Amino acid sequence: MRISVIGCGYLGAVHAAAMASIGHEVIGIDVDVRKIEALAEGRAPIFEPGLPELLVSAVASGALRFSTDIAETAGSDVHFVTVGTPQLAGAHGADLRFVHAVFASLHPHLRNGDIVAGKSTVPVGTAADLADAVHETGATLVWNPEFLREGWAVQDTVTPDRIVVGVPAGPAGERAADVLRRVYHPALAADTPYIVTDYATAELVKVSANAFLATKISFINAMAEIAEATGADVTQLADALGHDSRIGRRFLGAGIGFGGGCLPKDIRAFAARAEELGLRDSVAFLREVDAINLRRRARAVQLVLEETGGSVVGRRVAVLGAAFKPFSDDVRDSPALDVAVRLHGLGASVIVTDPQAVPNARALHPQLSYTTSRDEALRDADVLVVVTEWDEYRRQMSPEDVAALTDGRIVIDGRNCLDAARWRAAGWRYRGLGRP
């Protein structure tokens, strides 16, 4: 099928390459000239495992091309809208300017029978507001939310765990659902669940999933606060809870909390939308979820202060990690960078390292010092703060080897990913979050 993908950021670039890899003819559209030039050369604008190879192959085969001209979408059977919906400046709601701009620019190029598939994360009710303008052209609007995990986005697109399609009632909706079945035919052939529902439910699936995951993470971080006050070990608590099949161990890792371009802004936008609907009390818990999450960043800084006698002025602090999670170069709302910035503000000499995210981090916070070399960051450090659980920190970093590089023997484990007993046995003062 002929497919257009409008918006070639993180979601769009992955979706375009993945759709081409499963046999579709794809045109990717974006207003950013430099981004389009890079993509047209097969260069990924983000770090995402598997994406460079997919891009190079698809571009070389001719199945995937890119343009800044929205008119080149004309003739596509399905138009995927994949632009971002960032948090509004000075407010908690979602900024839908880019979504509305795409629909306005796409409108003249739609034809009878086309499918417009929204994938952007939007407040419930957005699709219904957009539908009339799409339907007056003879095209049909569907809402097809994404469920990508950064670091696993290619896999999650090609072999998703479910596909949700929100369609209008009636024959047009039934036909649209059938067209999307053809788009995702390889996944459906592998028995991926295909859920056809209404617009509002499809929109809610995405934000509800993110709200649930954020709540689970903040729950275990709340338990970490209790553990710290009582001498309990939150990692053992999480292990015990995880054996309950109703709960599960995933997303029960206590630490400095979640960040990135999805969970923080999505739960805030969800709460803002509920208030607009007069349902503030229904999601009031999300305010506390957000507050718990932010408190853990402050707690990591507090642990550094406790271990340095109350002051970090003039102390060299090695911050291991800048991305909000491993296998990503995304520093949006990164807890790791937040901790680094707070320590810098308290007078510490902060050196930040990360295998992939240093350029993005430097662009966002140029006041900090950076290196891509872990050992360079560790050299002569008074304190180590592990804030992103890259393998080269959690598995490939020996306390004995690090001791040969550093002046201090203090390690703050912001992700509870190190072997506490081993580090203590090697002579380190180890502090984790929610661990005795």
Side-chain angles (χ1 to χ4, degrees):
M1 299 180 68
R2 296 186 64 185
I3 289 173
S4 74
V5 177
I6 308 166
C8 292
Y10 176 82
L11 168 59
V14 172
H15 194 69
M19 291 298 98
S21 77
I22 62 176
H24 299 297
E25 179 186 342
V26 183
I27 174 75
I29 303 292
D30 200 284
V31 297
D32 187 328
V33 175
R34 294 179 63 182
K35 183 188 297 180
I36 288 299
E37 289 175 347
L39 287 166
E41 295 172 359
R43 293 186 286 116
I46 54 169
F47 174 74
E48 181 63 38
L51 178 58
E53 296 83 358
L54 218 58
L55 271 175
V56 168
S57 175
V59 170
S61 72
L64 175 61
R65 60 191 182 88
F66 294 93
S67 175
T68 57
D69 186 359
I70 192 80
E72 293 200 43
T73 62
S76 296
D77 302 298
V78 181
H79 307 272
F80 285 101
V81 177
T82 55
V83 292
T85 53
Q87 185 174 328
L88 282 166
H92 283 168
D95 187 345
L96 299 180
R97 285 179 300 161
F98 305 116
V99 171
H100 289 299
V102 166
F103 275 84
S105 60
L106 182 61
H107 189 273
H109 308 291
L110 294 177
R111 59 182 180 172
N112 188 54
D114 283 0
I115 305 297
V116 180
K119 294 192 74 68
S120 304
T121 302
V122 296
V124 60
T126 302
D129 291 340
L130 296 168
D132 286 346
V134 172
H135 294 167
E136 71 181 16
T137 68
T140 302
L141 176 67
V142 305
W143 216 263
N144 173 219
E146 54 86 11
F147 304 102
L148 305 188
R149 300 166 296 165
E150 291 197 33
W152 303 91
V154 171
Q155 175 183 316
D156 290 345
T157 304
V158 177
T159 58
D161 55 14
R162 79 280 207 195
I163 297 169
V164 177
V165 180
V167 302
E174 293 172 4
R175 176 185 172 274
D178 287 339
V179 171
L180 268 291
R181 285 188 178 91
R182 290 166 53 200
V183 170
Y184 293 116
H185 64 91
L188 298 184
D191 294 326
T192 298
Y194 188 72
I195 301 163
V196 180
T197 185
D198 55 84
Y199 290 149
T201 303
E203 292 165 321
L204 280 172
V205 169
K206 170 64 177 179
V207 293
S208 298
N210 281 353
F212 186 87
L213 295 177
T215 300
K216 192 171 183 181
I217 295 167
S218 284
F219 170 81
I220 199 62
N221 277 328
M223 295 306 99
E225 294 178 343
I226 302 298
E228 288 172 356
T230 59
D233 188 329
V234 74
T235 59
Q236 293 181 1
L237 172 63
D239 288 342
L241 290 172
H243 286 294
D244 188 325
S245 61
R246 298 168 300 175
I247 299 173
R249 185 61 172 84
R250 295 186 64 195
F251 289 88
L252 277 183
I256 60 171
F258 57 81
C262 290
L263 291 191
K265 62 100 174 172
D266 285 353
I267 64 169
R268 293 164 191 159
F270 193 11
R273 180 57 176 149
E275 289 185 16
E276 291 173 355
L277 295 170
L279 298 170
R280 177 186 177 91
D281 291 347
S282 297
V283 292
F285 69 94
L286 290 179
R287 301 293 190 201
E288 185 58 26
V289 164
D290 200 11
I292 292 168
N293 187 56
L294 295 176
R295 281 205 301 269
R296 302 317 287 161
R297 305 176 185 191
R299 178 57 178 157
V301 173
Q302 185 181 357
L303 289 179
V304 175
L305 291 172
E306 289 178 5
E307 292 299 323
T308 54
S311 174
V312 290
V313 175
R315 298 291 192 105
R316 180 176 168 88
V317 180
V319 175
L320 305 189
F324 86 96
K325 64 177 288 187
F327 308 111
S328 173
D329 63 353
D330 194 343
V331 297
R332 290 175 294 176
D333 206 352
S334 169
L337 269 185
D338 191 359
V339 169
V341 169
R342 292 181 190 221
L343 289 168
H344 174 80
L346 292 172
S349 174
V350 176
I351 178 76
V352 179
T353 186
D354 191 284
Q356 296 294 335
V358 164
N360 289 341
R362 181 182 283 117
L364 190 62
H365 292 292
Q367 73 273 30
L368 303 177
S369 298
Y370 298 92
T371 177
T372 56
S373 168
R374 182 194 67 191
D375 287 355
E376 182 181 338
L378 294 171
R379 189 166 290 112
D380 301 326
D382 297 300
V383 184
L384 276 61
V385 187
V386 180
V387 281
T388 310
E389 60 269 45
W390 288 96
D391 283 347
E392 65 178 84
Y393 309 146
R394 65 192 297 241
R395 290 196 176 100
Q396 301 165 12
M397 190 170 68
S398 157
E400 294 81 11
D401 290 342
V402 175
L405 295 170
T406 60
D407 290 335
R409 293 292 182 273
I410 301 169
V411 58
I412 308 301
D413 187 359
R415 293 296 182 182
N416 288 339
C417 61
L418 303 179
D419 184 335
R422 182 182 178 191
W423 282 80
R424 285 172 175 149
W428 288 79
R429 288 156 58 190
Y430 170 95
R431 296 293 298 275
L433 277 76
R435 307 180 75 177

